[in-house]
Coordinates of all heavy atoms in Angstrom, one line a residue:
M15 N 6.2 -200.2 62.1 CA 7.2 -199.2 62.1 C 7.3 -198.6 63.5 O 6.3 -198.2 64.1 CB 6.8 -198.1 61.1 CG 7.7 -196.9 61.1 SD 7.1 -195.7 59.8 CE 7.9 -194.2 60.5
T16 N 8.4 -198.6 64.0 CA 8.6 -198.0 65.4 C 9.0 -196.5 65.3 O 9.9 -196.2 64.5 CB 9.8 -198.8 66.1 OG1 9.5 -200.2 66.0 CG2 9.9 -198.3 67.5
I17 N 8.4 -195.7 66.0 CA 8.6 -194.3 66.0 C 9.5 -194.0 67.3 O 9.1 -194.3 68.4 CB 7.4 -193.5 66.1 CG1 6.6 -193.7 64.8 CG2 7.7 -192.0 66.2 CD1 5.2 -193.2 64.8
V18 N 10.7 -193.5 67.0 CA 11.6 -193.2 68.1 C 11.5 -191.7 68.4 O 11.7 -190.8 67.5 CB 13.0 -193.5 67.7 CG1 14.0 -193.3 68.8 CG2 13.1 -195.0 67.3
K19 N 11.2 -191.4 69.6 CA 11.1 -190.0 70.1 C 12.4 -189.7 70.8 O 12.8 -190.4 71.7 CB 9.9 -189.8 71.0 CG 8.6 -190.0 70.3 CD 7.4 -189.7 71.2 CE 6.1 -189.9 70.5 NZ 4.9 -189.6 71.3
R20 N 13.1 -188.7 70.4 CA 14.4 -188.3 70.9 C 14.3 -186.9 71.5 O 13.8 -186.0 70.9 CB 15.5 -188.4 69.9 CG 16.0 -189.8 69.8 CD 17.2 -189.8 68.9 NE 16.7 -190.0 67.5 CZ 17.4 -190.5 66.5 NH1 18.7 -190.9 66.7 NH2 16.9 -190.7 65.3
F21 N 14.9 -186.8 72.7 CA 15.1 -185.5 73.2 C 16.1 -184.6 72.4 O 17.1 -185.1 71.9 CB 15.6 -185.5 74.7 CG 14.5 -185.8 75.7 CD1 14.4 -187.1 76.2 CD2 13.6 -184.8 76.1 CE1 13.4 -187.5 77.0 CE2 12.6 -185.2 77.1 CZ 12.5 -186.5 77.5
I22 N 15.7 -183.4 72.3 CA 16.6 -182.5 71.5 C 17.5 -181.8 72.5 O 17.0 -181.0 73.3 CB 15.8 -181.4 70.7 CG1 14.7 -182.0 70.0 CG2 16.7 -180.6 69.8 CD1 13.8 -181.1 69.3
A23 N 18.8 -182.1 72.5 CA 19.7 -181.5 73.5 C 19.8 -180.0 73.3 O 20.0 -179.5 72.2 CB 21.1 -182.1 73.3
G24 N 19.6 -179.3 74.3 CA 19.8 -177.9 74.3 C 18.6 -177.1 73.8 O 18.7 -175.8 73.8
A25 N 17.5 -177.8 73.4 CA 16.4 -177.1 72.8 C 15.5 -176.5 73.9 O 15.3 -177.1 74.9 CB 15.6 -178.0 72.0
V26 N 15.0 -175.3 73.7 CA 14.2 -174.6 74.6 C 12.8 -174.6 74.2 O 12.5 -174.3 73.0 CB 14.7 -173.2 74.9 CG1 13.8 -172.5 75.8 CG2 16.1 -173.2 75.4
C27 N 11.9 -175.0 75.0 CA 10.5 -175.0 74.6 C 10.0 -173.6 74.5 O 10.2 -172.7 75.3 CB 9.7 -175.7 75.8 SG 7.8 -175.6 75.4
P28 N 9.4 -173.3 73.3 CA 8.9 -172.0 73.0 C 7.8 -171.6 73.9 O 7.4 -170.4 74.0 CB 8.5 -172.0 71.5 CG 8.3 -173.4 71.2 CD 9.1 -174.2 72.1
R29 N 7.1 -172.5 74.5 CA 6.0 -172.1 75.4 C 6.3 -171.9 76.8 O 6.1 -170.9 77.4 CB 4.8 -173.2 75.3 CG 3.7 -172.9 76.2 CD 2.6 -173.9 76.1 NE 1.8 -173.9 74.8 CZ 0.9 -174.7 74.5 NH1 0.5 -175.7 75.3 NH2 0.3 -174.6 73.3
C30 N 7.0 -172.9 77.4 CA 7.3 -172.8 78.9 C 8.7 -172.4 79.1 O 9.1 -172.1 80.2 CB 6.9 -174.2 79.6 SG 8.0 -175.5 79.1
G31 N 9.6 -172.4 78.1 CA 10.9 -172.0 78.2 C 11.9 -173.0 78.9 O 13.0 -172.7 79.2
E32 N 11.4 -174.2 79.2 CA 12.2 -175.2 79.8 C 13.3 -175.8 78.8 O 12.9 -176.0 77.6 CB 11.4 -176.3 80.4 CG 10.6 -175.9 81.6 CD 11.5 -175.8 82.8 OE1 12.4 -176.6 83.0 OE2 11.2 -174.8 83.6
M33 N 14.4 -176.0 79.2 CA 15.4 -176.6 78.3 C 15.5 -178.1 78.5 O 15.2 -178.6 79.5 CB 16.8 -176.0 78.6 CG 17.9 -176.4 77.6 SD 19.5 -175.7 77.9 CE 19.4 -174.1 77.2
D34 N 15.8 -178.8 77.3 CA 15.9 -180.2 77.3 C 14.6 -181.0 77.7 O 14.6 -182.0 78.2 CB 17.1 -180.7 78.3 CG 18.4 -180.3 77.8 OD1 18.6 -180.0 76.6 OD2 19.3 -180.2 78.7
K35 N 13.5 -180.3 77.3 CA 12.2 -180.9 77.6 C 11.5 -181.3 76.3 O 10.4 -181.9 76.3 CB 11.3 -180.0 78.4 CG 11.8 -179.6 79.7 CD 11.8 -180.8 80.7 CE 12.3 -180.3 82.0 NZ 12.5 -181.4 83.0
L36 N 12.1 -180.9 75.2 CA 11.5 -181.1 73.9 C 11.9 -182.5 73.4 O 13.1 -182.9 73.3 CB 11.9 -180.1 72.9 CG 11.2 -178.7 73.1 CD1 11.8 -177.7 72.0 CD2 9.8 -178.8 72.9
K37 N 10.9 -183.3 72.9 CA 11.1 -184.5 72.2 C 10.8 -184.3 70.7 O 9.8 -183.5 70.4 CB 10.3 -185.6 72.8 CG 10.8 -186.2 74.1 CD 10.3 -187.5 74.4 CE 9.0 -187.5 75.2 NZ 8.6 -188.8 75.6
A38 N 11.5 -185.0 69.8 CA 11.2 -184.8 68.4 C 11.2 -186.2 67.8 O 11.9 -187.1 68.2 CB 12.3 -184.0 67.7
W39 N 10.3 -186.3 66.8 CA 10.2 -187.5 66.0 C 9.7 -187.2 64.6 O 9.1 -186.2 64.4 CB 9.4 -188.6 66.7 CG 8.0 -188.4 66.8 CD1 7.0 -188.8 66.0 CD2 7.3 -187.5 67.8 NE1 5.8 -188.4 66.4 CE2 5.9 -187.6 67.5 CE3 7.7 -186.7 68.8 CZ2 4.9 -186.9 68.2 CZ3 6.8 -186.0 69.6 CH2 5.4 -186.1 69.3
T40 N 9.9 -188.2 63.7 CA 9.4 -188.0 62.4 C 8.4 -189.1 62.0 O 8.6 -190.2 62.3 CB 10.6 -188.0 61.4 OG1 11.5 -187.1 61.8 CG2 10.1 -187.7 60.0
E41 N 7.3 -188.7 61.4 CA 6.3 -189.7 61.1 C 5.6 -189.2 59.8 O 5.1 -188.1 59.7 CB 5.3 -189.7 62.2 CG 4.2 -190.8 62.0 CD 3.3 -190.8 63.2 OE1 3.5 -190.2 64.2 OE2 2.2 -191.4 63.0
D42 N 5.7 -189.9 58.7 CA 5.0 -189.6 57.4 C 5.5 -188.3 56.9 O 4.7 -187.4 56.5 CB 3.5 -189.6 57.6 CG 3.0 -191.0 57.9 OD1 3.6 -192.0 57.5 OD2 1.9 -191.1 58.4
D43 N 6.9 -188.1 56.9 CA 7.4 -186.8 56.4 C 7.0 -185.6 57.2 O 7.1 -184.5 56.7 CB 7.1 -186.6 54.9 CG 7.9 -187.6 54.0 OD1 8.9 -188.1 54.5 OD2 7.4 -188.0 52.9
I44 N 6.5 -185.8 58.4 CA 6.2 -184.7 59.2 C 7.1 -184.8 60.4 O 7.3 -185.8 61.0 CB 4.8 -184.7 59.7 CG1 3.8 -184.7 58.5 CG2 4.5 -183.4 60.6 CD1 3.5 -183.4 57.8
Q45 N 7.8 -183.7 60.8 CA 8.6 -183.7 62.0 C 7.8 -183.1 63.1 O 7.3 -182.0 63.1 CB 9.9 -182.9 61.8 CG 10.7 -183.0 63.1 CD 12.1 -182.4 62.9 OE1 12.3 -181.2 62.6 NE2 13.1 -183.2 63.0
Y46 N 7.6 -183.9 64.2 CA 6.9 -183.4 65.3 C 7.8 -183.1 66.5 O 8.9 -183.7 66.6 CB 5.9 -184.5 65.8 CG 4.9 -184.9 64.8 CD1 5.1 -185.9 63.9 CD2 3.6 -184.2 64.8 CE1 4.1 -186.2 63.0 CE2 2.7 -184.6 63.9 CZ 2.8 -185.6 63.0 OH 1.9 -185.9 62.1
R47 N 7.4 -182.1 67.3 CA 8.1 -181.8 68.5 C 7.0 -181.7 69.6 O 5.9 -181.4 69.4 CB 8.8 -180.4 68.4 CG 9.9 -180.4 67.5 CD 10.7 -179.1 67.5 NE 9.8 -178.0 67.2 CZ 10.2 -176.7 67.4 NH1 11.3 -176.4 68.0 NH2 9.3 -175.7 67.1
E48 N 7.5 -182.1 70.8 CA 6.6 -182.2 71.9 C 7.3 -181.9 73.2 O 8.5 -182.3 73.3 CB 6.0 -183.7 71.9 CG 5.4 -184.0 73.2 CD 5.0 -185.5 73.2 OE1 4.0 -185.8 72.5 OE2 5.7 -186.4 73.7
C49 N 6.7 -181.1 74.0 CA 7.4 -180.7 75.3 C 6.7 -181.6 76.4 O 5.5 -181.8 76.4 CB 7.1 -179.2 75.6 SG 7.8 -178.7 77.1
V50 N 7.6 -182.1 77.2 CA 7.2 -183.0 78.3 C 6.8 -182.2 79.5 O 6.3 -182.7 80.5 CB 8.2 -184.1 78.6 CG1 8.4 -185.0 77.4 CG2 9.5 -183.5 79.1
A51 N 7.2 -180.9 79.5 CA 7.0 -180.1 80.7 C 5.6 -179.4 80.6 O 5.0 -179.1 81.6 CB 8.1 -179.0 80.9
C52 N 5.2 -179.1 79.4 CA 3.9 -178.5 79.2 C 3.2 -179.3 78.0 O 3.7 -180.3 77.7 CB 4.0 -177.0 78.9 SG 4.8 -176.6 77.3
D53 N 2.2 -178.8 77.5 CA 1.4 -179.5 76.5 C 1.8 -179.0 75.1 O 1.1 -179.3 74.1 CB -0.1 -179.3 76.7 CG -0.5 -180.1 77.9 OD1 0.1 -181.1 78.2 OD2 -1.5 -179.7 78.5
F54 N 3.0 -178.4 74.9 CA 3.3 -177.8 73.6 C 3.5 -178.9 72.6 O 4.3 -179.9 72.9 CB 4.5 -177.0 73.8 CG 5.1 -176.5 72.5 CD1 4.5 -175.4 71.8 CD2 6.2 -177.1 71.9 CE1 5.1 -175.0 70.5 CE2 6.8 -176.7 70.7 CZ 6.2 -175.7 70.0
T55 N 3.0 -178.8 71.5 CA 3.3 -179.7 70.3 C 3.5 -178.8 69.1 O 2.9 -177.8 69.0 CB 2.2 -180.7 70.1 OG1 1.0 -180.1 69.9 CG2 2.1 -181.7 71.2
D56 N 4.3 -179.4 68.2 CA 4.6 -178.6 67.0 C 4.8 -179.6 65.9 O 5.3 -180.7 66.1 CB 5.9 -177.8 67.2 CG 6.1 -176.9 66.0 OD1 5.2 -176.5 65.3 OD2 7.4 -176.7 65.7
E57 N 4.4 -179.3 64.7 CA 4.7 -180.2 63.6 C 5.1 -179.4 62.3 O 4.7 -178.2 62.2 CB 3.5 -181.0 63.2 CG 2.3 -180.2 62.8 CD 1.1 -181.2 62.5 OE1 0.5 -181.7 63.5 OE2 0.7 -181.3 61.4
M58 N 6.1 -180.0 61.6 CA 6.7 -179.2 60.5 C 6.9 -180.3 59.4 O 7.5 -181.3 59.5 CB 8.0 -178.7 60.9 CG 8.8 -177.9 59.9 SD 10.2 -177.1 60.6 CE 11.1 -178.6 61.1
S59 N 6.4 -179.9 58.2 CA 6.5 -180.8 57.0 C 8.0 -180.8 56.5 O 8.7 -179.8 56.4 CB 5.6 -180.3 55.9 OG 5.8 -181.1 54.7
L60 N 8.4 -182.0 56.3 CA 9.8 -182.2 55.8 C 9.9 -182.2 54.3 O 11.0 -182.2 53.7 CB 10.4 -183.5 56.4 CG 10.6 -183.6 57.9 CD1 11.1 -184.9 58.3 CD2 11.5 -182.5 58.4
T61 N 8.8 -182.3 53.6 CA 8.8 -182.3 52.2 C 8.9 -180.9 51.6 O 8.3 -179.9 52.2 CB 7.6 -182.9 51.6 OG1 6.4 -182.3 52.2 CG2 7.5 -184.4 52.0
A62 N 9.8 -180.7 50.6 CA 10.0 -179.3 50.1 C 8.7 -178.8 49.4 O 8.0 -179.6 48.7 CB 11.1 -179.4 49.1
P63 N 8.4 -177.6 49.6 CA 7.2 -176.9 48.9 C 7.5 -177.0 47.4 O 8.6 -176.8 46.9 CB 7.2 -175.6 49.5 CG 8.5 -175.3 50.1 CD 9.1 -176.6 50.5
P64 N 6.5 -177.1 46.6 CA 6.6 -177.2 45.1 C 7.1 -176.0 44.5 O 7.8 -176.0 43.5 CB 5.2 -177.6 44.6 CG 4.3 -177.1 45.8 CD 5.1 -177.3 47.0
E65 N 6.9 -174.8 45.1 CA 7.4 -173.6 44.5 C 8.9 -173.4 44.5 O 9.4 -172.5 43.9 CB 6.7 -172.3 45.1 CG 7.0 -172.2 46.5 CD 5.8 -172.7 47.4 OE1 5.2 -173.7 46.9 OE2 5.5 -172.2 48.4
V66 N 9.6 -174.3 45.1 CA 11.1 -174.2 45.2 C 11.7 -174.6 43.7 O 12.7 -174.1 43.4 CB 11.6 -175.1 46.3 CG1 13.1 -175.3 46.1 CG2 11.3 -174.6 47.6
A67 N 10.9 -175.3 43.0 CA 11.4 -175.8 41.7 C 11.7 -174.6 40.8 O 11.0 -173.6 40.7 CB 10.3 -176.6 41.0
E68 N 12.9 -174.7 40.2 CA 13.4 -173.5 39.5 C 12.8 -173.5 38.1 O 12.6 -174.5 37.5 CB 15.0 -173.7 39.3 CG 15.7 -172.4 39.2 CD 17.2 -172.5 39.4 OE1 17.6 -173.1 40.5 OE2 17.9 -172.1 38.6
P69 N 12.5 -172.3 37.6 CA 11.9 -172.1 36.3 C 13.0 -172.5 35.2 O 14.2 -172.4 35.4 CB 11.5 -170.7 36.1 CG 12.3 -170.0 37.2 CD 12.5 -171.0 38.3
A70 N 12.5 -172.9 34.1 CA 13.4 -173.4 33.0 C 14.1 -172.3 32.2 O 15.0 -172.6 31.5 CB 12.6 -174.3 32.0
T71 N 13.8 -171.0 32.5 CA 14.4 -170.0 31.8 C 15.9 -169.8 32.3 O 16.1 -169.7 33.5 CB 13.6 -168.7 31.9 OG1 13.4 -168.5 33.3 CG2 12.3 -168.7 31.2
R72 N 16.8 -169.8 31.4 CA 18.2 -169.6 31.7 C 18.8 -168.5 31.0 O 19.9 -168.5 30.4 CB 19.0 -170.9 31.5 CG 18.6 -172.0 32.5 CD 19.2 -173.3 32.1 NE 19.1 -174.3 33.2 CZ 20.0 -174.5 34.0 NH1 21.2 -173.9 34.0 NH2 19.9 -175.4 35.0
V73 N 18.1 -167.3 30.9 CA 18.6 -166.2 30.0 C 19.9 -165.7 30.5 O 20.8 -165.4 29.8 CB 17.5 -165.2 30.0 CG1 17.9 -164.0 29.1 CG2 16.2 -165.8 29.5
N74 N 20.0 -165.4 31.8 CA 21.1 -164.7 32.4 C 22.3 -165.7 32.8 O 23.2 -165.2 33.5 CB 20.7 -163.9 33.6 CG 19.7 -162.8 33.2 OD1 19.8 -162.3 32.1 ND2 18.7 -162.5 34.0
Q75 N 22.2 -166.9 32.4 CA 23.2 -167.9 32.9 C 24.5 -167.6 32.2 O 25.5 -168.1 32.8 CB 22.7 -169.3 32.6 CG 21.6 -169.8 33.5 CD 22.0 -169.8 34.9 OE1 23.0 -170.4 35.3 NE2 21.3 -169.2 35.9
T76 N 24.6 -166.9 31.1 CA 25.9 -166.7 30.5 C 26.7 -165.6 31.2 O 27.9 -165.5 31.0 CB 25.7 -166.3 29.0 OG1 24.8 -165.2 28.9 CG2 25.2 -167.5 28.2
Q77 N 26.0 -164.8 32.0 CA 26.7 -163.7 32.7 C 27.4 -164.3 33.9 O 26.8 -165.0 34.7 CB 25.7 -162.6 33.1 CG 26.3 -161.3 33.3 CD 25.3 -160.2 33.3 OE1 24.1 -160.5 33.4 NE2 25.7 -158.9 33.1
A78 N 28.7 -163.9 34.0 CA 29.4 -164.4 35.2 C 29.0 -163.8 36.4 O 28.7 -162.6 36.5 CB 30.9 -164.2 34.9
D79 N 29.0 -164.6 37.5 CA 28.6 -164.0 38.8 C 29.7 -163.1 39.2 O 30.9 -163.5 39.3 CB 28.5 -165.2 39.8 CG 27.8 -164.7 41.0 OD1 28.0 -163.6 41.5 OD2 27.1 -165.6 41.6
P80 N 29.4 -161.9 39.5 CA 30.5 -160.9 39.9 C 31.2 -161.3 41.1 O 32.4 -160.9 41.4 CB 29.7 -159.6 40.1 CG 28.3 -159.9 40.2 CD 28.1 -161.2 39.4
R81 N 30.5 -162.1 42.0 CA 31.2 -162.5 43.2 C 32.4 -163.4 43.0 O 33.2 -163.6 43.8 CB 30.2 -163.2 44.1 CG 29.1 -162.3 44.7 CD 28.1 -163.1 45.5 NE 27.3 -163.9 44.6 CZ 26.4 -164.7 44.9 NH1 26.0 -164.7 46.2 NH2 25.7 -165.4 44.1
D82 N 32.4 -164.0 41.8 CA 33.5 -165.0 41.5 C 34.8 -164.2 41.4 O 35.9 -164.8 41.5 CB 33.2 -165.8 40.2 CG 32.1 -166.8 40.4 OD1 31.8 -167.1 41.6 OD2 31.6 -167.3 39.5
E83 N 34.8 -162.9 41.0 CA 36.0 -162.2 40.8 C 36.5 -161.4 42.0 O 37.5 -160.8 42.1 CB 35.7 -161.2 39.7 CG 35.4 -161.9 38.4 CD 35.1 -160.9 37.3 OE1 35.5 -159.7 37.4 OE2 34.3 -161.3 36.3
I84 N 35.7 -161.5 43.1 CA 36.1 -160.8 44.3 C 36.6 -161.8 45.4 O 36.6 -161.6 46.6 CB 34.9 -160.0 44.9 CG1 34.1 -159.3 43.8 CG2 35.4 -159.0 45.9 CD1 32.9 -158.6 44.2
Q85 N 37.1 -162.9 44.8 CA 37.6 -163.9 45.7 C 39.1 -163.6 46.1 O 39.9 -164.5 46.0 CB 37.5 -165.3 45.1 CG 36.1 -165.8 45.0 CD 35.6 -166.5 46.2 OE1 36.4 -167.1 46.9 NE2 34.3 -166.5 46.4
V86 N 39.3 -162.5 46.6 CA 40.7 -162.1 47.0 C 40.9 -162.5 48.4 O 40.3 -161.8 49.4 CB 41.0 -160.6 46.7 CG1 42.4 -160.3 47.1 CG2 40.7 -160.2 45.3
V87 N 41.5 -163.5 48.7 CA 41.7 -164.0 50.1 C 43.1 -163.7 50.5 O 44.1 -164.1 49.8 CB 41.4 -165.5 50.1 CG1 41.5 -166.0 51.5 CG2 40.0 -165.8 49.6
N88 N 43.2 -163.1 51.6 CA 44.6 -162.9 52.1 C 45.2 -164.1 52.8 O 44.7 -164.4 53.9 CB 44.5 -161.6 53.1 CG 45.9 -161.1 53.4 OD1 46.9 -161.7 53.1 ND2 46.0 -160.0 54.1
L89 N 46.0 -164.8 52.1 CA 46.5 -166.0 52.7 C 48.0 -165.8 53.2 O 48.7 -166.8 53.4 CB 46.5 -167.1 51.7 CG 45.1 -167.6 51.3 CD1 45.2 -168.7 50.2 CD2 44.4 -168.2 52.5
M90 N 48.4 -164.6 53.3 CA 49.8 -164.3 53.8 C 50.0 -164.8 55.1 O 49.2 -164.5 56.1 CB 50.1 -162.8 53.7 CG 50.4 -162.4 52.3 SD 51.2 -160.7 52.3 CE 50.1 -159.7 53.2
D91 N 51.0 -165.5 55.3 CA 51.4 -166.0 56.6 C 51.9 -164.8 57.5 O 52.8 -164.2 57.1 CB 52.5 -167.1 56.5 CG 52.7 -167.8 57.8 OD1 52.3 -167.3 58.9 OD2 53.3 -168.9 57.8
P92 N 51.3 -164.5 58.6 CA 51.7 -163.4 59.4 C 53.2 -163.6 59.9 O 53.8 -162.6 60.3 CB 50.7 -163.4 60.6 CG 50.1 -164.7 60.6 CD 50.1 -165.2 59.2
K93 N 53.6 -164.9 60.0 CA 55.0 -165.0 60.5 C 56.0 -164.8 59.4 O 57.2 -164.7 59.7 CB 55.1 -166.5 61.0 CG 54.4 -166.6 62.4 CD 54.4 -168.1 62.9 CE 53.5 -168.9 62.1 NZ 53.3 -170.3 62.6
A94 N 55.6 -164.9 58.1 CA 56.6 -164.7 57.1 C 56.9 -163.2 56.8 O 56.0 -162.5 56.4 CB 56.1 -165.3 55.8
K95 N 58.0 -162.7 57.2 CA 58.4 -161.3 57.1 C 59.5 -161.1 56.1 O 60.3 -162.0 55.9 CB 58.8 -160.7 58.5 CG 57.6 -160.6 59.4 CD 58.0 -160.1 60.7 CE 56.8 -160.1 61.7 NZ 57.3 -159.7 63.1
Ligands
LIG18 ZN1 7.1 -176.7 77.4

């Protein structure tokens, strides 16, 4: 398996503040970042944490979301007079 390290365009290193010095790659569901200007390295798990799973209780699901009724969008054409 070939690991491709790519520069992140526009990314600023949180340690040295240099732009376009960060390389990123993914290995075993971990996203790594590395700065070529200093020794900064960072890793972040790409797998979702288990507590994100929604509980099975759906008691309030029959109640309509009030935001659905505030969808008043002004679509009037400013040129139409
Ligand atoms: Zn750096």
Side-chain angles (χ1 to χ4, degrees):
M15 174 178 161
T16 307
I17 297 168
V18 182
K19 298 183 179 183
R20 273 184 274 204
F21 280 100
I22 313 171
V26 177
C27 174
R29 180 180 287 180
C30 68
E32 289 287 322
M33 188 180 275
D34 294 336
K35 300 292 185 189
L36 285 177
K37 284 201 271 188
W39 69 98
T40 305
E41 187 179 347
D42 294 335
D43 287 334
I44 308 277
Q45 181 170 64
Y46 294 91
R47 290 189 301 168
E48 162 186 283
C49 178
V50 297
C52 65
D53 289 330
F54 172 78
T55 54
D56 184 32
E57 61 180 72
M58 180 174 61
S59 175
L60 295 177
T61 54
E65 60 261 31
V66 169
E68 209 166 307
T71 52
R72 288 172 168 264
V73 180
N74 295 326
Q75 287 296 312
T76 52
Q77 204 163 14
D79 194 328
R81 286 174 297 180
D82 287 346
E83 299 175 23
I84 318 175
Q85 289 274 332
V86 182
V87 182
N88 192 352
L89 291 176
M90 282 198 303
D91 191 344
K93 284 175 287 188
K95 288 179 182 173

